[in-house]
């Protein structure tokens, strides 16, 4: 038994498990950790923590299911739900730390950058950690709608006993982004729960939902949408994305909102080109003298992100009487 | 006749589209297959039965077509000829009788009713999964072992829905996670950072 050589031909019993891996047929080196594969490893709480007592597993899912199958469950969840699941218990948190989940999520969310560029950014800015990229790199969320709630005061008609009536008018800007580089825009006083069903590409003009294109560089969004019609107008929107917590990306601040005229040839260009058409325009530029360039200064409340599953219960559905001011934060 | 001639003769008997591609569904995917097996399948072997033996040594007799269509493992076993119809049974030591019966039930229903419309199938699936947690995890492990793609996707989807859209405390209750394993400081930190999860 050549104990000093690694190339022993007869295999000691403790290395039996090693032979199950074909690549190891060549070098029978000692790899005792291979026996740990497939074994449920219970995460140990840090020393001194309240939960460092003999671990009695109450959850059936942890008693029955091997780790690979739990992994498969998580593989089918959205990053948002993964973040939630990692707060449920320590075992789930350790399982979800696996970079595979975050790599898939990152490559999908920043697909416009392309795979090669994403890998480059991963190494240069985020230490090779996909999870760090997911939490730190600004992105536009696609699992809901960004809402900007604006109010203004309008004088009403004096009648009967009411001498100086004043109305608080509330209107919303809705933006929904898609990973492909397109987005949908709607400006309406309708509540979000009534609007959400129209925020898709099947909507007709009657629903006054307009589609455009956007680009995201760093945290700056440049978006353009064309209002077709007799006097075609382009709406150029500049926003910056931020979040209330790391990775949340649930706020957008309006930097500028400019409406300008486009001439007929630009208006009839295929939809993809509108952002390309207005790229590089100055803020006061307009290509149709009938439609002056207007940089809007009102109705610039920051956008708040509402995920689809919170649309029905969102505070944005409250009427003006119940909620007159909303501070986005 | 040589095997080659037999194949040509059989190919001649099959409808053109089928013989051109020679594909059949296996475990939810479509797999290239030799013409003679297709013809046998079309002609008579749907009634051919195979024996499955559970961990409790109980024997279940199932139509071969049913299991071959759904379970990749069983399909491979039968294809490479290691299964002799007259005498052998397929031992499934990882699956107990109760679960095996359920799995066979699922495969049989989906084979015989695969032309039904989507809602009926989904309603049947929902009813099928109306079991306690123990049963659900046993089904999942059986489906994993037998590699039954559509049953796996179904169960994963169900478990995913138990997590999606629920608050953390609800999730802990559903899965009976009594000890979350976080220190009190960590738990408090989580609640502060992500209040909408709780």
């Amino acid at each position: 038994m050549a104990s000093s050589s690694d190339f022993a031909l007869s295999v000691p019993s403790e290395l039996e498990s090693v032979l199950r891996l074909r690549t190891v047929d060549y070098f029978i080196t000692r790899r005792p950790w291979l026996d740990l594969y497939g074994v449920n490893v219970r995460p140990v709480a840090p020393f001194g923590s309240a939960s460092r007592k003999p671990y009695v597993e109450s959850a059936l899912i942890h008693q029955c299911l091997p780790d690979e199958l739990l992994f498969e469950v998580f593989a089918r969840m959205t990053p948002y739900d993964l973040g939630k699941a990692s707060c449920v218990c320590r075992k789930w948190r350790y399982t979800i730390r696996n970079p595979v989940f975050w790599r898939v999520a990152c490559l999908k969310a920043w697909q416009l950058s392309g795979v090669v560029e994403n890998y480059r950014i991963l190494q240069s800015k985020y230490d090779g950690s996909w999870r760090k990229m997911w939490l730190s790199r600004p992105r536009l969320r696609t699992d809901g709608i960004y809402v900007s709630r604006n109010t203004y005061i309008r004088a009403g008609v004096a009648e009967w006993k009411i001498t100086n009536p004043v109305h608080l008018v509330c209107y919303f800007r809705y933006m929904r982004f898609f990973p492909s580089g397109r987005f949908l825009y709607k400006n309406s006083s309708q509540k979000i729960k009534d609007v959400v069903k129209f925020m898709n590409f099947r909507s007709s003009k009657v629903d006054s939902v307009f589609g455009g294109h956007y680009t995201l560089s760093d945290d700056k969004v440049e978006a353009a949408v064309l209002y077709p019609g007799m006097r075609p107008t382009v709406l150029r929107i500049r926003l910056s994305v931020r979040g209330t917590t790391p990775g949340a990306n649930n706020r957008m601040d309006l930097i500028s909102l400019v409406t300008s005229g486009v001439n007929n040839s630009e208006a009839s260009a295929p939809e993809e080109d509108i952002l390309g058409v207005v790229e590089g325009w100055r803020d006061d530029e307009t290509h149709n003298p009938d439609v002056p360039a207007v940089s809007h200064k009102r109705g610039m409340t920051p956008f708040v992100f509402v995920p689809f599953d919170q649309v029905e219960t969102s505070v944005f559905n409250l009427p003006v009487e119940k909620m007159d001011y909303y501070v986005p934060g | 006749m040589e095997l080659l001639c037999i194949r040509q003769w059989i190919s001649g008997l099959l409808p053109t589209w089928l013989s051109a591609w020679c594909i059949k569904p296996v475990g939810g995917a479509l797999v290239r297959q030799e013409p003679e097996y297709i013809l046998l399948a079309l002609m008579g072997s749907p009634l051919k039965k195979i024996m499955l033996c559970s961990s409790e040594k109980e024997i279940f007799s199932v139509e071969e077509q049913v299991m071959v269509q759904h379970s990749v493992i069983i399909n491979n076993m039968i294809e490479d000829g290691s299964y002799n119809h007259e005498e052998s049974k397929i031992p499934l030591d990882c699956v107990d009788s109760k679960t095996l019966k359920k799995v066979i039930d699922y495969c049989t229903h989906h084979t015989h009713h695969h032309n039904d419309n989507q809602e009926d199938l989904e309603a049947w699936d929902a009813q099928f999964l109306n079991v306690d947690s123990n049963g659900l995890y046993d089904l999942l492990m059986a489906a994993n072992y037998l590699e039954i793609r559509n049953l796996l996707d179904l169960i994963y989807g169900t478990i995913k829905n138990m997590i999606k859209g629920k608050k953390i405390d609800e999730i802990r209750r559903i899965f009976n996670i009594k000890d979350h394993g976080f220190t009190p400081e960590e738990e408090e930190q989580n609640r502060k950072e992500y209040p909408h999860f709780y």
Side-chain angles (χ1 to χ4, degrees), chain B residues 77-137:
Chain B
M77 269 190 215
I78 295 191
E79 265 199 18
D80 66 13
S82 58
Y83 179 72
N84 182 329
H85 284 98
E86 276 72 43
E87 14 180 291
S88 46
K89 50 192 193 306
I90 300 182
L92 301 172
D93 289 329
C94 300
V95 189
D96 66 7
S97 297
K98 185 167 132 214
T99 314
L100 187 55
K101 199 186 304 189
K102 268 273 204 185
V103 168
I104 292 174
D105 193 18
Y106 177 88
C107 297
T108 323
H109 184 267
H110 272 255
T111 305
H112 292 159
H113 291 249
H114 82 281
N115 283 324
D116 279 6
N117 64 352
Q118 213 40 41
E119 291 121 28
D120 288 344
L121 280 177
E122 279 171 15
W124 190 91
D125 284 342
Q127 178 59 23
F128 174 78
L129 285 183
N130 198 4
V131 289
D132 65 350
S133 307
N134 233 323
L136 190 67
Y137 301 135

Side-chain angles (χ1 to χ4, degrees), chain A residues 45-46 49-51 53 55 58-62 64-66 69 72-74 76-77 80-81 83-84 86-90 92-93 245, chain B residues 133-134 137 140-141 144 149 153 156 159-160 163-166 168 171-172 175-183 186 190 193 196-198:
Chain A
S49 89
S51 39
K53 33 187 191 317
Y55 201 90
S58 62
L60 200 60
I61 187 172
H62 298 155
C64 294
L65 237 49
L69 298 192
E72 284 294 317
V73 175
F74 293 142
R76 285 160 168 75
M77 288 179 7
Y80 182 79
D81 288 327
K84 185 165 64 173
S86 68
C87 293
V88 169
C89 69
R90 219 181 186 82
W92 286 20
R93 177 162 285 202
T245 55
Chain B
S133 307
N134 233 323
Y137 301 135
L140 179 58
M141 293 199 283
N144 183 50
R149 187 82 258 157
D153 287 340
Y156 282 137
I159 300 181
K160 182 190 85 168
I163 301 173
K164 185 184 171 73
K166 309 248 176 0
I168 302 265
I171 298 176
R172 286 179 182 156
F175 288 100
N176 199 27
I177 297 174
K178 292 226 168 72
D179 180 9
H180 51 70
F182 295 122
T183 63
E186 285 173 338
N190 288 343
E193 247 184 76
H196 46 277
F197 284 156
Y198 286 88

Side-chain angles (χ1 to χ4, degrees), chain A residues 28-294:
Chain A
I28 315 272
T29 47
R30 294 186 174 275
R31 294 194 177 93
W33 62 84
L34 291 177
D35 280 328
L36 288 175
Y37 285 142
V39 175
N40 283 357
V41 179
R42 297 214 178 83
V44 180
F47 188 71
S49 89
S51 39
R52 196 181 172 88
K53 33 187 191 317
Y55 201 90
V56 177
E57 183 60 77
S58 62
L60 200 60
I61 187 172
H62 298 155
Q63 287 172 31
C64 294
L65 237 49
D67 292 339
E68 306 92 66
L69 298 192
L70 189 62
F71 181 95
E72 284 294 317
V73 175
F74 293 142
R76 285 160 168 75
M77 288 179 7
T78 62
Y80 182 79
D81 288 327
L82 279 178
K84 185 165 64 173
S86 68
C87 293
V88 169
C89 69
R90 219 181 186 82
K91 183 182 170 99
W92 286 20
R93 177 162 285 202
Y94 284 168
T95 312
I96 293 174
R97 279 278 149 96
N98 191 326
V100 169
F101 297 121
W102 304 106
R103 176 172 53 96
V104 169
C106 285
L107 290 179
K108 180 167 174 203
W110 288 287
Q111 61 185 245
L112 287 177
S113 305
V115 177
V116 175
E117 178 66 12
N118 278 325
Y119 269 90
R120 193 192 64 76
I121 295 176
L122 175 79
Q123 294 306 330
S124 60
K125 272 200 197 152
Y126 301 107
D127 290 333
S129 165
W130 289 107
R131 193 167 166 273
K132 268 213 189 100
M133 185 195 279
W134 182 260
L135 290 178
S136 328
R137 186 177 174 187
R139 92 199 124 88
L140 285 169
R141 289 179 63 171
T142 54
D143 54 332
I145 300 184
Y146 287 91
V147 183
S148 162
R149 183 181 189 271
N150 300 284
T151 53
Y152 63 87
I153 302 216
R154 171 172 75 86
V157 176
E159 61 179 10
W160 201 224
K161 296 230 170 90
I162 305 167
T163 46
N164 227 358
V166 136
H167 296 285
L168 187 64
V169 180
C170 177
Y171 67 95
F172 303 93
R173 299 188 201 278
Y174 296 107
M175 289 183 84
R176 180 181 173 185
F177 293 93
F178 295 85
S180 56
R182 300 175 72 183
F183 75 100
L184 291 172
Y185 176 80
K186 185 176 169 76
N187 186 337
S188 159
S189 53
Q190 285 178 291
K191 303 291 183 299
I192 186 170
K193 64 177 188 243
D194 302 318
V195 161
V196 67
K197 53 180 169 290
F198 296 116
M199 296 298 281
N200 55 59
F201 288 102
R202 293 185 301 274
S203 289
S204 61
K205 275 208 203 84
V206 173
D207 307 316
S208 59
V209 174
F210 299 97
H213 283 77
Y214 71 91
T215 53
L216 174 67
S217 29
D218 246 358
D219 62 335
K220 297 289 180 282
V221 183
E222 288 235 10
V225 57
L226 181 70
Y227 290 135
M230 290 295 295
R231 293 196 300 176
T233 312
V234 66
L235 176 62
R236 282 177 286 152
I237 317 174
R238 282 217 185 91
L239 307 140
S240 85
V241 186
R242 61 180 169 91
T244 51
T245 55
N249 294 289
N250 52 3
R251 298 285 185 273
M252 287 200 300
D253 298 310
L254 263 168
I255 301 173
S256 75
L257 194 65
V258 182
T259 46
S260 325
V262 283
N263 58 41
N264 285 321
S265 65
E266 288 162 336
S268 54
E271 206 189 293
E272 289 85 67
D273 284 353
I274 192 68
L275 189 57
V277 165
V278 301
E279 197 179 5
W281 281 23
R282 296 180 316 270
D283 274 359
D284 56 357
E285 192 171 328
T286 177
H287 287 199
N288 184 343
D290 291 336
V291 184
V294 179

